[in-house]
Amino acid sequence: MPVTWFTADSHFHHAGMMSERMHSRRSFPSVEAMNEHLIANWNAVVGRGDTVWHLGDFAWKASLAQAQDVFRRLHGRKFLIRGNHDKVGERLPWDAPVRDVAQIHVQDPGMAEPVALWLSHYAHRSWPRQHKGTLHLYGHSHGALPPTGTSLDVGVDAWDLAPVALPQILARLAEAAAREGDAS
């Protein structure tokens, strides 16, 4: 059965992601090694029939040919939520038009009911249907923003450089909610 995955901020071909001044904690001998690691991690979890929502900044500092080469090697049906570095990424053959935000419902195998999600490249303090249980997934912060009980960063730098599935997301949200409850 197909599974839905989420990720952001892969920044394929962006050598600057390995710099100490970046939010990222990527340590690779070359941009090619970083790219290969990210591709291998993606394909280790994502099946060919799975769906992947990439929440922005797919590739940066890449030519269209370089981005296409990476894109064609990645498993899954791929959808893009536009990030601030997606000038090249927007030109790839995504499975639907590129959007700024999306409100979706996911019900993967084993889930009793669908989960409502608000997807954006950026973290929001509020979002549509937030008070009706809609959860918010975002990128851009490279793991620098702590999760809350209802929103978190799904970028590769927050998830061991790989896409993440909803059960792991829900577990991390529940941990954040428990911490919030302990603090009150």
Side-chain angles (χ1 to χ4, degrees):
M1 298 286 297
V3 174
T4 306
W5 299 88
F6 300 89
T7 194
D9 303 305
S10 49
H11 284 265
F12 288 107
H13 285 282
H14 185 187
M17 291 307 296
M18 298 177 291
S19 164
E20 287 183 22
R21 58 191 168 85
M22 295 300 289
H23 297 296
S24 153
R25 296 163 209 66
R26 301 182 196 183
S27 177
F28 294 96
S30 67
V31 71
E32 294 80 15
M34 178 185 74
N35 289 343
E36 291 304 317
H37 186 86
L38 290 168
I39 292 167
N41 282 4
W42 178 304
N43 290 339
V45 295
V46 176
R48 294 199 183 277
D50 290 349
T51 296
V52 181
W53 283 90
H54 195 292
L55 306 188
D57 292 358
F58 178 79
W60 198 45
K61 304 287 185 176
S63 68
L64 180 57
Q66 289 171 320
Q68 287 171 328
D69 179 60
V70 168
F71 187 88
R72 72 170 174 74
R73 294 175 58 198
L74 298 171
H75 294 171
R77 296 179 59 237
K78 299 175 280 290
F79 298 86
L80 179 67
I81 299 297
R82 182 180 292 110
N84 57 309
H85 296 298
D86 277 318
K87 196 171 272 191
V88 169
E90 288 184 41
R91 297 170 54 200
L92 298 172
W94 300 96
D95 284 287
V98 175
R99 299 184 248 179
D100 290 321
V101 296
Q103 187 165 340
I104 66 170
H105 292 80
V106 173
Q107 187 171 11
D108 282 341
M111 294 176 63
E113 56 188 52
V115 175
L117 300 169
W118 176 254
L119 309 177
S120 173
H121 180 62
Y122 301 101
H124 295 246
R125 289 182 58 142
S126 64
W127 54 92
R129 301 193 55 79
Q130 173 181 2
H131 299 294
K132 301 280 186 184
T134 297
L135 304 174
H136 173 41
L137 306 181
Y138 58 87
H140 189 67
S141 69
H142 296 273
L145 293 177
T148 70
T150 57
S151 76
L152 83 132
D153 185 347
V154 295
V156 295
D157 298 302
W159 292 93
D160 298 323
L161 302 177
V164 60
L166 204 47
Q168 290 80 25
I169 290 168
L170 295 175
R172 193 169 286 182
L173 289 168
E175 291 169 8
R179 282 192 301 277
E180 290 169 355
D182 290 343
S184 56

